[in-house]
Amino acid sequence: MLTSTEYKHAPLRDIDIIRERRRIEYNMSPVSYNYAMDRVERNAIRLKRSLEESEKISFAKLRNDIIKPGICTLCGACASTCASISLEEGQPKLTGKCTACGICYNQCPRTITTEEGLIGSLRQAYAAKSNLKEIKGQDGGVVTAMLAYGLEEGLIDCAIVTTSSEEEPWKPVPMVARTYEDLLQSSGSIYSHSMTMDALMSAIRQGMNSIAFVGPSCNIDAVYKMQKSPRGFLHMFMRAKILKLGLFCMDSFDYGGLKQFIEGKNMRLGDIESMKIRKGQFEVTTAAAKESFDLQELDNCRSSSCKYCTDMASENTDISFGGVGTPDGYTSVLTRSSIGYEIFNEAADCGYIDARVIEEKEMQRVLNLAKMKKVQMYALHRRQQG
């Protein structure tokens, strides 16, 4: 028998140290299978409670959005987290009562439910409006006000924006804005594609080094790929720095089709002062009145590429802007990059814009619209199958 002086502890292995640390963290002696399963059950219950406090989502939504279109990966996440779902005949099936807790839909790898998945990564979100009264922009006029700040402070040499043709009202014409007056001319939204890339390359060839570029996600993505892809083009212009300012976008329309639609409503494009898409309505304002039309009436002139786009919030930008979620007269602003965050807050500090952190209910409206855009590809897949 060993005496106390002769007894030596066996050296601890790394795995033993890790196990002991985990035992202390979870305050339990040897982990039993039942205890571990109890923890899983408690976590599942906690998740279900948090989901119950928000949106009710039944298994039918998972079936319609994911299973029927053939998008299901058969990973089994839904069946493993809900006793009422099982995998039968190569697909998930409801075999018990559905309580619409939403857990199956939120665990599915093919659904898009997180904030980052819906609108991309961001530093901070704001509700903002321009403090420059002469700006007659869309919603809060924040994009124009920020560009004005950039030009006045010498942070940018020019801005690539879109204005309306003088010969053909509401036909988009890209321009290189170098002055405050140029910016005022371009304020407001035009719901047709603008060929802004040509204007961007023109500004670079003219020696503009710091350029703000404004556009929806499709145009922004073109700039992003020109900067980032292995065969990108903008790397050839090492001195050109592009500040990407993206616009929220659900749809754009063929100019000829839009003109035909307006004229079919006994109106002239030249009489229209503003256009806005809001809450499923296409709003047209003239000096005499404001008219609203169901957005579905414009389906025939909707740009075909929009059917394949899932990026409402223009995710590959420095800052994104849109008239969704916040009250009338305000713009929802998503600052993404460090430089975007700094420039936006400096513009606010200098009095160009008035801003506050966006409220949770306002952000939820942005997320809801982004979700509609994300899942439209699933709907398109179903239509093609049908």
Side-chain angles (χ1 to χ4, degrees):
M1 181 176 179
L2 293 174
T3 65
S4 59
T5 56
E6 296 173 299
Y7 180 80
K8 294 183 179 179
H9 288 286
L12 287 175
R13 300 171 299 171
D14 289 342
I15 188 64
D16 297 321
I17 296 172
I18 293 171
R19 285 171 179 165
E20 180 65 12
R21 186 186 303 138
R22 297 292 289 176
R23 187 189 68 78
I24 294 171
E25 287 175 354
Y26 290 102
N27 192 26
M28 56 183 181
S29 40
V31 179
S32 69
Y33 174 80
N34 289 336
Y35 189 94
M37 290 307 296
D38 287 345
R39 281 186 57 239
V40 171
E41 291 296 328
R42 286 200 301 272
N43 289 339
I45 291 170
R46 190 180 302 115
L47 175 59
K48 287 179 180 179
R49 285 175 179 167
S50 68
L51 291 170
E52 284 170 0
E53 294 171 358
S54 53
E55 184 181 4
K56 293 287 186 182
I57 304 176
S58 70
F59 177 79
K61 183 169 179 60
L62 182 71
R63 181 171 56 229
N64 293 334
D65 286 359
I66 305 299
I67 300 171
K68 281 187 176 181
I71 301 167
C72 174
T73 67
L74 290 176
C75 68
C78 56
S80 66
T81 53
C82 180
S84 297
I85 302 174
S86 61
L87 293 177
E88 297 181 3
E89 299 176 0
Q91 66 178 16
K93 289 189 176 180
L94 187 67
T95 55
K97 182 181 179 181
C98 178
T99 60
C101 68
I103 192 169
C104 63
Y105 194 86
N106 282 275
Q107 303 311 300
C108 176
R110 284 292 184 257
T111 61
I112 307 168
T113 56
T114 65
E115 179 178 289
E116 184 172 356
L118 291 168
I119 60 174
S121 59
L122 54 97
R123 289 281 299 271
Q124 186 59 272
Y126 301 91
K129 62 180 180 179
S130 169
N131 284 330
L132 306 177
K133 304 304 180 186
E134 60 270 27
I135 293 178
K136 307 298 180 184
Q138 197 85 342
D139 303 301
V142 177
V143 177
T144 307
M146 278 203 59
L147 294 174
Y149 164 74
L151 284 175
E152 293 296 318
E153 296 294 320
L155 299 178
I156 58 175
D157 298 324
C158 66
I160 309 303
V161 295
T162 298
T163 187
S164 177
S165 167
E166 294 182 1
E167 294 77 23
E168 300 179 84
W170 291 96
K171 185 173 185 178
V173 176
M175 68 178 295
V176 180
R178 297 178 177 84
T179 66
Y180 184 52
E181 288 67 29
D182 289 341
L183 296 178
L184 294 179
Q185 183 182 344
S186 68
S187 61
S189 294
I190 297 177
Y191 291 100
S192 297
H193 278 308
S194 178
M195 306 290 285
T196 46
M197 297 306 300
D198 189 54
L200 173 62
M201 298 311 299
S202 174
I204 292 174
R205 292 188 181 100
Q206 293 175 46
M208 303 291 177
N209 297 325
S210 182
I211 304 170
F213 181 91
V214 182
S217 61
C218 47
N219 295 37
I220 292 293
D221 287 350
V223 177
Y224 180 83
K225 291 196 74 173
M226 291 176 80
Q227 291 176 310
K228 302 292 185 180
S229 71
R231 295 177 181 268
F233 192 65
L234 288 179
H235 72 274
M236 296 175 64
F237 302 90
M238 298 300 292
R239 297 178 62 191
K241 300 177 180 65
I242 315 297
L243 178 69
K244 299 183 292 294
L245 306 180
L247 307 175
F248 288 8
C249 181
M250 285 295 287
D251 293 294
S252 67
F253 305 97
D254 171 71
Y255 175 74
L258 186 61
K259 180 180 180 181
Q260 185 177 5
F261 174 82
I262 293 295
E263 292 176 348
K265 299 296 182 180
N266 297 318
M267 293 187 291
R268 296 175 60 252
L269 278 175
D271 295 332
I272 294 175
E273 296 179 351
S274 68
M275 298 181 186
K276 181 184 291 187
I277 295 176
R278 194 173 186 86
K279 297 180 179 179
Q281 298 289 307
F282 185 69
E283 299 178 357
V284 177
T285 303
T286 65
K290 178 185 290 186
E291 299 279 351
S292 292
F293 308 99
D294 192 309
L295 198 54
Q296 292 183 351
E297 292 188 52
L298 285 87
D299 277 353
N300 289 336
C301 56
R302 185 187 184 200
S303 296
S304 60
S305 62
C306 294
K307 298 175 184 177
Y308 301 91
C309 175
T310 59
D311 184 3
M312 184 279 295
S314 203
E315 298 173 22
N316 290 322
T317 57
D318 295 294
I319 314 176
S320 300
F321 306 83
V324 180
T326 45
D328 287 345
Y330 280 80
T331 301
S332 296
V333 181
L334 310 179
T335 57
R336 301 184 184 278
S337 68
S338 296
I339 190 171
Y341 175 83
E342 293 296 334
I343 289 178
F344 176 81
N345 281 281
E346 286 177 8
D349 291 342
C350 292
Y352 284 79
I353 57 178
D354 179 37
R356 60 170 172 80
V357 174
I358 200 167
E359 297 177 6
E360 184 177 350
K361 62 182 180 181
E362 295 170 335
M363 176 58 89
Q364 191 58 52
R365 296 189 195 110
V366 175
L367 296 176
N368 288 342
L369 193 66
K371 184 182 294 185
M372 292 173 59
K373 187 75 168 174
K374 290 290 185 183
V375 303
Q376 73 173 3
M377 275 296 289
Y378 295 167
L380 177 66
H381 185 76
R382 287 200 300 270
R383 289 197 299 272
Q384 289 174 338
Q385 283 190 328

